[in-house]
Amino acid sequence: MKKRILSLVLAAVMVLAFAACGSSSGNSTAPAASGAPAPAESKDAAPADSGEVIELSFGHIQNPGHALAIAPEEFKQFVEEKTNGRVKITIFPSSQLGTQREMIEQTVMGTLDINFSSVAELSTGLNKPIIGAFELPFLSKDLKTQERLINEVVMPELPKLLEGTGLKMLNCYSNGIRQPILKTRPITKLDDLKGLKMRCAETPLYVNLWTSLGCTVVTSPWSEAYTVVQQGVADAAEADAVGLVNVNLQEVSNYYSRMGHIGAIYPTYINEEKWNSIPADLQEIIMECAAESQAKQIADRQGLDDIAEKAIADAGVEINDVPDEERAKMRAACQKMYDDFAAENNCQELIDKLLAIDA
């Protein structure tokens, strides 16, 4: 009888042990990838794995197919796969949630979790003009130079400038090298810019650039660029090659001049309060995925530009290169912008670092 009672007790213990094992395995946390970079310190980071799925919203202005629309989709895929579905990202492209300025404000307030924008828009949206230094004219003559600028200056310096804004930087994408596409005449020399009606964004840096080069500035939302050129309100518009083709500006233009006036970069950032609510182990994976996404996007960028320029040529648009000596004259015409910027923002050291990349 005692043996039978002992057997029943042992059987019950084994059942409870198996049940406990099954319960603990259901809540296991996926380990961080080997060699993953540690996230920037976050004093208020949530503790690891509560078992809850983290939902993140990511809004931006780009249309599907644009280089900067592909990158968030890849970032989403990296994050969801490496977190085993513990983090899910919903993307809202094509200005579904508003303009760049509006989405910057939404990200600061926390009604949008993640956004990217040009540094020119970010500087205006946050009322921190110094951030615009990273998009001063003629810093990057090509994509290779721009990659160095991002890795050696932007990634170390911009997070410091975002402190106290409510935003946490994740990575930085390339939006290519901006070029003008024109309806009336090509640009082959500095004098060709005199009196040209150039459509650009309504931000001080862009307005000052084209004014310094002798243009008459026409500001408008990017969504109106096609109509502005088509109807002759402006003679030209400017953007990266992919951006120009993405809104079909080659249909209403006759010339495309490789001038390389601005290397556009797009920092990606997350609402800081939302970031601090994410468990530390997931923060580490998200930062690893952000770095991976940045490296891939920059590496893929040249191929996308080549495809876009072929579409421009196939539309019958004449393509020309601006000679180095004329580009140097254009750079010299903008010297006052650097001097004034450094003086107004007390950032000569930062300006020197930026200029040294393309010295």
Side-chain angles (χ1 to χ4, degrees):
M1 182 67 178
K2 289 182 180 179
K3 288 183 179 181
R4 184 178 180 188
I5 292 172
L6 180 60
S7 297
L8 289 172
V9 170
L10 289 173
V13 170
M14 290 178 66
V15 169
L16 290 171
F18 279 121
C21 289
S23 174
S24 64
S25 64
N27 291 325
S28 62
T29 301
S34 175
E41 282 190 27
S42 178
K43 296 178 182 178
D44 302 319
D49 194 9
S50 64
E52 178 184 358
V53 173
I54 305 295
E55 299 275 357
L56 299 175
S57 56
F58 191 151
H60 62 81
I61 66 168
Q62 302 295 346
N63 296 325
H66 189 281
L68 288 181
I70 294 170
E73 296 290 346
E74 292 178 336
F75 175 62
K76 165 186 166 73
Q77 181 180 351
F78 294 158
V79 170
E80 292 182 354
E81 286 181 355
K82 292 190 177 184
T83 62
N84 294 321
R86 290 172 58 204
V87 177
K88 293 192 177 296
I89 300 175
T90 302
I91 297 175
F92 300 91
S94 306
S95 300
Q96 290 180 38
L97 302 181
T99 64
Q100 284 193 67
R101 190 79 53 82
E102 288 167 342
M103 283 188 280
I104 292 168
E105 293 170 357
Q106 291 165 20
T107 311
V108 170
M109 292 186 296
T111 54
L112 175 63
D113 296 321
I114 305 174
N115 176 228
F116 60 53
S117 62
S118 70
V119 292
E121 286 284 357
L122 187 61
S123 68
T124 304
L126 296 178
N127 194 26
K128 293 198 72 169
I130 190 173
I131 292 175
F134 301 106
E135 208 162 272
L136 283 167
F138 302 106
L139 294 181
S140 303
K141 60 187 175 184
D142 52 33
L143 287 169
K144 185 176 181 180
T145 308
Q146 186 188 56
E147 183 174 14
R148 284 191 58 211
L149 187 82
I150 289 172
N151 290 332
E152 297 177 25
V153 185
V154 180
M155 291 305 294
E157 299 295 334
L158 184 51
K160 301 174 189 175
L161 300 180
L162 290 180
E163 291 177 2
T165 66
L167 301 177
K168 153 78 178 175
M169 188 167 170
L170 296 177
N171 68 7
C172 188
Y173 294 126
S174 166
N175 200 22
I177 308 299
R178 297 180 76 91
Q179 316 284 9
I181 194 165
L182 308 103
K183 188 174 184 179
T184 55
R185 63 177 183 264
I187 297 170
T188 60
K189 57 186 181 298
L190 176 60
D191 286 345
D192 291 334
L193 289 159
K194 306 302 181 186
L196 189 76
K197 292 184 294 183
M198 177 63 70
R199 178 270 157 201
C200 71
E202 191 178 358
T203 58
L205 281 172
Y206 283 75
V207 172
N208 290 343
L209 163 62
W210 293 110
T211 301
S212 297
L213 294 174
C215 293
T216 299
V217 173
V218 177
T219 60
S220 77
W222 178 240
S223 59
E224 297 174 9
Y226 182 99
T227 303
V228 165
V229 175
Q230 181 188 44
Q231 296 181 353
V233 177
D235 300 319
E238 53 82 44
D240 63 290
V242 177
L244 295 172
V245 171
N246 202 236
V247 295
N248 295 314
L249 274 161
Q250 74 278 8
E251 296 178 352
V252 293
S253 304
N254 298 306
Y255 307 98
Y256 172 82
S257 299
R258 294 192 187 103
M259 179 175 151
H261 53 281
I262 284 182
I265 59 173
Y266 272 56
T268 306
Y269 40 84
I270 185 170
N271 174 270
E272 191 170 36
E273 186 175 348
K274 182 70 174 184
W275 175 256
N276 291 335
S277 74
I278 298 173
D281 62 321
L282 295 181
Q283 287 183 345
E284 182 174 353
I285 296 172
I286 290 169
M287 292 303 293
E288 174 192 351
C289 293
E292 182 179 357
S293 178
Q294 173 181 306
K296 186 176 188 305
Q297 191 270 337
I298 294 174
D300 291 345
R301 180 71 214 202
Q302 185 64 64
L304 293 170
D305 280 2
D306 291 344
I307 292 169
E309 288 196 351
K310 183 178 185 304
I312 290 171
D314 288 348
V317 175
E318 178 184 310
I319 298 177
N320 71 282
D321 290 298
V322 175
D324 288 345
E325 59 271 21
E326 288 297 328
R327 188 173 180 276
K329 291 178 184 178
M330 295 172 188
R331 166 68 178 81
C334 296
Q335 182 61 48
K336 189 174 184 298
M337 291 182 64
Y338 291 105
D339 296 339
D340 290 348
F341 195 97
E344 291 167 5
N345 296 284
N346 191 26
C347 63
Q348 187 61 56
E349 183 178 354
L350 176 59
I351 298 295
D352 290 343
K353 288 180 181 178
L354 292 167
L355 293 174
I357 297 295
D358 195 15

